[in-house]
Amino acid sequence: MNKLDLEGTAHLLDELDKKLMVLLRDGRTLIGYLRSVDQFANLVLHQTIERIHVGKEYGDIPRGVFIVRGENVVLLGEIDSTREVELPLTQVSVDDILDSQRKEQELKQEKQRLISKALKERGLHLMSDLTHDDMF
């Protein structure tokens, strides 16, 4: 481990017991209190919620204690409790936000399918559309 890695992880110690927002590599957003961190930047969050945003709405799913591998963290920041109440978003139920998220994902998939179809008609292919035989 080089000096920079140690300094980066050591800075996380200043964030212990603070409410943090953590953006994960898979796109999920977690909000919770940082209770522990190790030399690999693995995190233990307490009273964690997973926040799902769709448009101007959001929903919070309680997750409790959550362990995050450091390699999965894209972004981490402290939540400013004074500004948190001023969010220009509307909170909706978990069922509503999950339904909105599902619909949004279906629309994205349909859009991607139409783009892929248009490219194929022009003789172009996306890498995700190619089979193993097409590549070799």
Side-chain angles (χ1 to χ4, degrees), residues 55-110:
K56 295 269 186 192
E57 297 179 332
Y58 74 95
D60 292 338
I61 303 172
R63 297 293 188 199
V65 175
F66 210 93
I67 299 171
V68 181
R69 287 186 62 157
E71 66 187 30
N72 291 321
V73 175
V74 173
L75 182 71
L76 178 140
E78 184 178 356
I79 298 285
D80 183 347
S81 58
T82 59
R83 297 188 65 195
E84 187 176 21
V85 294
E86 300 170 5
L87 289 176
L89 303 171
T90 304
Q91 185 170 8
V92 298
S93 72
V94 172
D95 289 337
D96 288 346
I97 201 66
L98 289 174
D99 190 47
S100 295
Q101 183 185 48
R102 181 186 52 77
K103 289 176 184 174
E104 182 182 60
Q105 288 171 346
E106 287 172 355
L107 285 173
K108 284 181 182 178
Q109 288 173 348
E110 179 62 17

Side-chain angles (χ1 to χ4, degrees), residues 14-84:
D14 295 338
E15 305 302 319
L16 284 175
D17 298 322
K18 292 182 181 174
K19 190 174 185 179
L20 301 180
M21 190 255 344
V22 180
L23 179 62
L24 301 179
R25 205 165 42 168
D26 66 4
R28 288 184 292 166
T29 300
L30 302 175
I31 297 174
Y33 293 90
L34 182 63
R35 295 299 185 215
S36 181
V37 62
D38 66 11
Q39 71 270 26
F40 304 108
N42 296 318
L43 311 173
V44 176
L45 300 173
H46 183 244
Q47 295 180 354
T48 308
I49 58 162
E50 179 180 347
R51 180 161 287 174
I52 299 173
H53 296 90
V54 178
K56 295 269 186 192
E57 297 179 332
Y58 74 95
D60 292 338
I61 303 172
R63 297 293 188 199
V65 175
F66 210 93
I67 299 171
V68 181
R69 287 186 62 157
E71 66 187 30
N72 291 321
V73 175
V74 173
L75 182 71
L76 178 140
E78 184 178 356
I79 298 285
D80 183 347
S81 58
T82 59
R83 297 188 65 195
E84 187 176 21

